[in-house]
Short mmCIF file of all heavy atoms in Angstrom, two decimals:
data_model
loop_
_atom_site.label_atom_id
_atom_site.label_comp_id
_atom_site.label_asym_id
_atom_site.label_seq_id
_atom_site.Cartn_x
_atom_site.Cartn_y
_atom_site.Cartn_z
N PHE A 1095 17.96 1.25 -27.29
CA PHE A 1095 16.53 0.90 -27.06
C PHE A 1095 16.18 1.27 -25.68
O PHE A 1095 16.68 0.74 -24.70
CB PHE A 1095 16.25 -0.58 -27.33
CG PHE A 1095 14.75 -0.88 -27.29
CD1 PHE A 1095 14.09 -0.91 -28.50
CD2 PHE A 1095 14.14 -1.15 -26.10
CE1 PHE A 1095 12.68 -1.18 -28.48
CE2 PHE A 1095 12.78 -1.45 -26.13
CZ PHE A 1095 12.04 -1.44 -27.29
N VAL A 1096 15.35 2.34 -25.53
CA VAL A 1096 15.01 2.81 -24.22
C VAL A 1096 14.17 1.77 -23.45
O VAL A 1096 13.09 1.34 -23.93
CB VAL A 1096 14.19 4.14 -24.30
CG1 VAL A 1096 13.71 4.61 -22.95
CG2 VAL A 1096 15.04 5.22 -25.00
N GLY A 1097 14.63 1.38 -22.27
CA GLY A 1097 13.92 0.46 -21.46
C GLY A 1097 14.59 -0.87 -21.29
O GLY A 1097 14.33 -1.55 -20.26
N TRP A 1098 15.49 -1.30 -22.17
CA TRP A 1098 16.16 -2.53 -22.00
C TRP A 1098 17.60 -2.32 -22.32
O TRP A 1098 18.01 -1.66 -23.27
CB TRP A 1098 15.55 -3.61 -22.97
CG TRP A 1098 14.10 -3.85 -22.71
CD1 TRP A 1098 13.11 -3.33 -23.46
CD2 TRP A 1098 13.50 -4.62 -21.68
NE1 TRP A 1098 11.86 -3.72 -22.95
CE2 TRP A 1098 12.08 -4.51 -21.89
CE3 TRP A 1098 14.01 -5.44 -20.59
CZ2 TRP A 1098 11.20 -5.18 -21.03
CZ3 TRP A 1098 13.07 -6.03 -19.79
CH2 TRP A 1098 11.73 -5.93 -20.04
N ALA A 1099 18.43 -2.98 -21.53
CA ALA A 1099 19.91 -2.91 -21.74
C ALA A 1099 20.32 -4.03 -22.70
O ALA A 1099 20.09 -5.19 -22.35
CB ALA A 1099 20.64 -3.05 -20.43
N MET A 1100 20.85 -3.72 -23.83
CA MET A 1100 21.22 -4.69 -24.82
C MET A 1100 22.48 -5.42 -24.31
O MET A 1100 23.44 -4.82 -23.78
CB MET A 1100 21.53 -4.07 -26.16
CG MET A 1100 20.33 -3.40 -26.80
SD MET A 1100 18.96 -4.52 -27.15
CE MET A 1100 17.82 -4.04 -25.82
N GLN A 1101 22.46 -6.75 -24.45
CA GLN A 1101 23.66 -7.57 -24.07
C GLN A 1101 24.51 -7.99 -25.17
O GLN A 1101 25.66 -8.43 -25.01
CB GLN A 1101 23.14 -8.79 -23.26
CG GLN A 1101 22.39 -8.43 -22.05
CD GLN A 1101 23.15 -7.66 -21.00
OE1 GLN A 1101 24.30 -8.03 -20.74
NE2 GLN A 1101 22.59 -6.58 -20.46
N PHE A 1102 24.01 -7.95 -26.41
CA PHE A 1102 24.82 -8.30 -27.56
C PHE A 1102 24.21 -7.63 -28.82
O PHE A 1102 23.06 -7.25 -28.82
CB PHE A 1102 24.95 -9.83 -27.71
CG PHE A 1102 23.63 -10.49 -28.07
CD1 PHE A 1102 23.30 -10.80 -29.41
CD2 PHE A 1102 22.70 -10.84 -27.10
CE1 PHE A 1102 22.09 -11.43 -29.76
CE2 PHE A 1102 21.49 -11.46 -27.45
CZ PHE A 1102 21.24 -11.70 -28.74
N TRP A 1103 25.03 -7.56 -29.88
CA TRP A 1103 24.61 -7.04 -31.13
C TRP A 1103 25.06 -7.97 -32.30
O TRP A 1103 26.21 -8.48 -32.22
CB TRP A 1103 25.22 -5.67 -31.36
CG TRP A 1103 24.75 -4.63 -30.35
CD1 TRP A 1103 23.73 -3.73 -30.48
CD2 TRP A 1103 25.28 -4.39 -29.02
NE1 TRP A 1103 23.58 -2.96 -29.36
CE2 TRP A 1103 24.52 -3.34 -28.45
CE3 TRP A 1103 26.30 -4.98 -28.27
CZ2 TRP A 1103 24.81 -2.84 -27.17
CZ3 TRP A 1103 26.56 -4.49 -27.01
CH2 TRP A 1103 25.89 -3.43 -26.46
N VAL A 1104 24.21 -8.22 -33.25
CA VAL A 1104 24.57 -8.96 -34.42
C VAL A 1104 24.24 -8.18 -35.66
O VAL A 1104 23.40 -7.33 -35.66
CB VAL A 1104 23.83 -10.31 -34.44
CG1 VAL A 1104 24.17 -11.19 -33.23
CG2 VAL A 1104 22.30 -10.12 -34.53
N PRO A 1105 24.94 -8.39 -36.77
CA PRO A 1105 24.71 -7.62 -37.98
C PRO A 1105 23.37 -8.06 -38.68
O PRO A 1105 22.84 -9.14 -38.37
CB PRO A 1105 25.88 -7.96 -38.89
CG PRO A 1105 26.41 -9.30 -38.43
CD PRO A 1105 26.09 -9.33 -36.95
N VAL A 1106 22.86 -7.18 -39.53
CA VAL A 1106 21.57 -7.41 -40.21
C VAL A 1106 21.61 -8.70 -41.01
O VAL A 1106 20.59 -9.36 -41.18
CB VAL A 1106 21.27 -6.17 -41.09
CG1 VAL A 1106 20.14 -6.50 -42.03
CG2 VAL A 1106 20.94 -5.01 -40.21
N SER A 1107 22.73 -9.17 -41.40
CA SER A 1107 22.81 -10.37 -42.23
C SER A 1107 22.33 -11.58 -41.48
O SER A 1107 21.94 -12.60 -42.04
CB SER A 1107 24.25 -10.63 -42.71
OG SER A 1107 25.12 -10.71 -41.54
N MET A 1108 22.23 -11.49 -40.11
CA MET A 1108 21.76 -12.62 -39.29
C MET A 1108 20.31 -12.46 -38.92
O MET A 1108 19.81 -13.19 -38.08
CB MET A 1108 22.63 -12.72 -38.04
CG MET A 1108 24.11 -12.96 -38.27
SD MET A 1108 24.36 -14.40 -39.28
CE MET A 1108 23.76 -15.70 -38.16
N GLU A 1109 19.59 -11.53 -39.58
CA GLU A 1109 18.20 -11.26 -39.24
C GLU A 1109 17.31 -12.46 -39.27
O GLU A 1109 16.48 -12.73 -38.41
CB GLU A 1109 17.67 -10.18 -40.21
CG GLU A 1109 16.20 -9.91 -40.06
CD GLU A 1109 15.33 -10.81 -41.00
OE1 GLU A 1109 15.87 -11.27 -42.03
OE2 GLU A 1109 14.25 -11.12 -40.59
N GLU A 1110 17.45 -13.31 -40.31
CA GLU A 1110 16.58 -14.46 -40.45
C GLU A 1110 16.74 -15.46 -39.31
O GLU A 1110 15.75 -16.13 -38.96
CB GLU A 1110 16.90 -15.20 -41.76
CG GLU A 1110 15.92 -16.32 -42.10
CD GLU A 1110 16.37 -16.99 -43.43
OE1 GLU A 1110 17.40 -16.69 -43.94
OE2 GLU A 1110 15.51 -17.85 -43.87
N ASN A 1111 17.88 -15.42 -38.65
CA ASN A 1111 18.11 -16.36 -37.55
C ASN A 1111 17.43 -15.92 -36.28
O ASN A 1111 17.15 -16.74 -35.40
CB ASN A 1111 19.63 -16.47 -37.26
CG ASN A 1111 19.97 -17.48 -36.24
OD1 ASN A 1111 19.57 -18.63 -36.39
ND2 ASN A 1111 20.63 -17.08 -35.21
N PHE A 1112 17.04 -14.63 -36.16
CA PHE A 1112 16.49 -14.10 -34.94
C PHE A 1112 15.06 -13.64 -35.10
O PHE A 1112 14.44 -13.36 -34.14
CB PHE A 1112 17.37 -12.90 -34.45
CG PHE A 1112 18.69 -13.32 -33.89
CD1 PHE A 1112 19.78 -13.40 -34.71
CD2 PHE A 1112 18.83 -13.72 -32.56
CE1 PHE A 1112 21.01 -13.68 -34.25
CE2 PHE A 1112 20.08 -14.08 -32.07
CZ PHE A 1112 21.18 -14.11 -32.93
N GLN A 1113 14.57 -13.56 -36.29
CA GLN A 1113 13.22 -13.09 -36.49
C GLN A 1113 12.41 -14.10 -37.34
O GLN A 1113 12.96 -14.69 -38.29
CB GLN A 1113 13.17 -11.74 -37.18
CG GLN A 1113 13.57 -10.59 -36.20
CD GLN A 1113 13.07 -9.27 -36.73
OE1 GLN A 1113 12.95 -9.06 -37.92
NE2 GLN A 1113 12.91 -8.28 -35.85
N ALA A 1114 11.14 -14.18 -37.05
CA ALA A 1114 10.28 -15.03 -37.88
C ALA A 1114 9.96 -14.33 -39.17
O ALA A 1114 10.06 -13.14 -39.32
CB ALA A 1114 9.01 -15.43 -37.14
N GLY A 1115 9.53 -15.12 -40.13
CA GLY A 1115 9.05 -14.49 -41.35
C GLY A 1115 10.00 -14.70 -42.54
O GLY A 1115 9.77 -14.09 -43.69
N GLY A 1116 11.15 -15.38 -42.31
CA GLY A 1116 12.00 -15.66 -43.45
C GLY A 1116 12.98 -14.56 -43.74
O GLY A 1116 13.12 -13.50 -43.02
N TYR A 1117 13.73 -14.70 -44.84
CA TYR A 1117 14.77 -13.73 -45.19
C TYR A 1117 14.10 -12.43 -45.81
O TYR A 1117 13.28 -12.51 -46.67
CB TYR A 1117 15.60 -14.38 -46.33
CG TYR A 1117 16.81 -13.56 -46.80
CD1 TYR A 1117 17.75 -13.15 -45.87
CD2 TYR A 1117 16.90 -13.16 -48.09
CE1 TYR A 1117 18.88 -12.41 -46.36
CE2 TYR A 1117 18.01 -12.44 -48.57
CZ TYR A 1117 18.95 -12.05 -47.67
OH TYR A 1117 20.02 -11.33 -48.08
N LYS A 1118 14.51 -11.35 -45.23
CA LYS A 1118 13.82 -10.00 -45.53
C LYS A 1118 14.73 -9.01 -46.20
O LYS A 1118 14.27 -7.94 -46.60
CB LYS A 1118 13.21 -9.39 -44.31
CG LYS A 1118 12.25 -10.28 -43.53
CD LYS A 1118 11.64 -9.52 -42.40
CE LYS A 1118 10.78 -10.38 -41.49
NZ LYS A 1118 11.57 -11.29 -40.66
N LEU A 1119 15.98 -9.25 -46.38
CA LEU A 1119 16.85 -8.24 -46.84
C LEU A 1119 16.68 -7.88 -48.27
O LEU A 1119 17.17 -6.84 -48.73
CB LEU A 1119 18.36 -8.60 -46.60
CG LEU A 1119 18.93 -8.18 -45.27
CD1 LEU A 1119 18.19 -8.74 -44.12
CD2 LEU A 1119 20.45 -8.47 -45.21
N GLU A 1120 15.99 -8.72 -49.06
CA GLU A 1120 15.71 -8.40 -50.46
C GLU A 1120 14.22 -8.18 -50.75
O GLU A 1120 13.82 -8.02 -51.86
CB GLU A 1120 16.24 -9.54 -51.34
CG GLU A 1120 17.75 -9.75 -51.26
CD GLU A 1120 18.22 -10.97 -52.02
OE1 GLU A 1120 17.35 -11.68 -52.60
OE2 GLU A 1120 19.40 -11.24 -51.98
N ASP A 1121 13.45 -8.18 -49.64
CA ASP A 1121 11.98 -8.00 -49.77
C ASP A 1121 11.60 -6.51 -49.43
O ASP A 1121 11.63 -6.11 -48.26
CB ASP A 1121 11.25 -8.92 -48.89
CG ASP A 1121 9.73 -8.94 -49.04
OD1 ASP A 1121 9.20 -8.07 -49.84
OD2 ASP A 1121 9.09 -9.73 -48.37
N ARG A 1122 11.23 -5.75 -50.43
CA ARG A 1122 10.90 -4.34 -50.20
C ARG A 1122 9.58 -4.22 -49.47
O ARG A 1122 9.31 -3.18 -48.86
CB ARG A 1122 10.88 -3.56 -51.53
CG ARG A 1122 10.87 -2.02 -51.38
CD ARG A 1122 10.95 -1.37 -52.71
NE ARG A 1122 12.26 -1.54 -53.36
CZ ARG A 1122 13.31 -0.72 -53.10
NH1 ARG A 1122 13.21 0.29 -52.27
NH2 ARG A 1122 14.49 -0.94 -53.71
N GLY A 1123 8.77 -5.20 -49.45
CA GLY A 1123 7.53 -5.22 -48.78
C GLY A 1123 7.60 -5.61 -47.33
O GLY A 1123 6.60 -5.45 -46.55
N ALA A 1124 8.77 -6.12 -46.85
CA ALA A 1124 8.90 -6.53 -45.54
C ALA A 1124 9.43 -5.41 -44.67
O ALA A 1124 10.62 -5.11 -44.71
CB ALA A 1124 9.90 -7.79 -45.46
N ARG A 1125 8.55 -4.83 -43.88
CA ARG A 1125 8.89 -3.62 -43.10
C ARG A 1125 9.13 -4.05 -41.67
O ARG A 1125 8.13 -4.18 -40.89
CB ARG A 1125 7.79 -2.55 -43.27
CG ARG A 1125 7.73 -2.05 -44.66
CD ARG A 1125 6.60 -1.06 -44.97
NE ARG A 1125 6.77 -0.49 -46.27
CZ ARG A 1125 6.37 -1.05 -47.40
NH1 ARG A 1125 5.74 -2.26 -47.37
NH2 ARG A 1125 6.61 -0.51 -48.59
N TRP A 1126 10.35 -4.11 -41.27
CA TRP A 1126 10.70 -4.63 -39.97
C TRP A 1126 11.76 -3.79 -39.28
O TRP A 1126 12.02 -3.96 -38.08
CB TRP A 1126 11.24 -6.08 -40.10
CG TRP A 1126 12.42 -6.14 -41.00
CD1 TRP A 1126 12.48 -6.19 -42.32
CD2 TRP A 1126 13.85 -6.17 -40.55
NE1 TRP A 1126 13.77 -6.27 -42.82
CE2 TRP A 1126 14.58 -6.29 -41.76
CE3 TRP A 1126 14.48 -6.17 -39.33
CZ2 TRP A 1126 16.01 -6.28 -41.69
CZ3 TRP A 1126 15.84 -6.27 -39.26
CH2 TRP A 1126 16.62 -6.33 -40.45
N ILE A 1127 12.32 -2.84 -39.94
CA ILE A 1127 13.42 -2.09 -39.44
C ILE A 1127 13.00 -0.92 -38.53
O ILE A 1127 12.00 -0.18 -38.84
CB ILE A 1127 14.27 -1.50 -40.62
CG1 ILE A 1127 15.06 -2.62 -41.31
CG2 ILE A 1127 15.19 -0.38 -40.12
CD1 ILE A 1127 15.85 -2.14 -42.52
N GLU A 1128 13.69 -0.83 -37.42
CA GLU A 1128 13.58 0.37 -36.55
C GLU A 1128 14.90 1.09 -36.67
O GLU A 1128 15.95 0.51 -36.33
CB GLU A 1128 13.27 -0.02 -35.08
CG GLU A 1128 11.94 -0.73 -34.95
CD GLU A 1128 11.76 -1.34 -33.61
OE1 GLU A 1128 12.75 -1.41 -32.84
OE2 GLU A 1128 10.66 -1.79 -33.32
N GLY A 1129 14.91 2.30 -37.15
CA GLY A 1129 16.20 2.91 -37.46
C GLY A 1129 16.32 4.35 -36.93
O GLY A 1129 15.38 4.88 -36.39
N TYR A 1130 17.55 4.84 -37.11
CA TYR A 1130 17.86 6.24 -36.64
C TYR A 1130 18.64 6.89 -37.79
O TYR A 1130 19.25 6.22 -38.66
CB TYR A 1130 18.74 6.23 -35.39
CG TYR A 1130 17.94 5.78 -34.18
CD1 TYR A 1130 17.93 4.41 -33.77
CD2 TYR A 1130 17.31 6.70 -33.36
CE1 TYR A 1130 17.25 4.01 -32.63
CE2 TYR A 1130 16.65 6.33 -32.22
CZ TYR A 1130 16.58 4.96 -31.83
OH TYR A 1130 15.94 4.58 -30.75
#
Side-chain angles (χ1 to χ4, degrees):
F1095 188 93
V1096 175
W1098 302 99
M1100 299 298 104
Q1101 300 298 317
F1102 67 95
W1103 297 264
V1104 297
V1106 167
S1107 58
M1108 300 303 297
E1109 173 273 329
E1110 186 180 9
N1111 187 55
F1112 290 91
Q1113 286 199 334
Y1117 184 61
K1118 303 185 185 74
L1119 267 62
E1120 297 175 0
D1121 185 357
R1122 195 173 291 272
R1125 293 175 172 83
W1126 59 280
I1127 287 175
E1128 296 169 353
Y1130 290 90

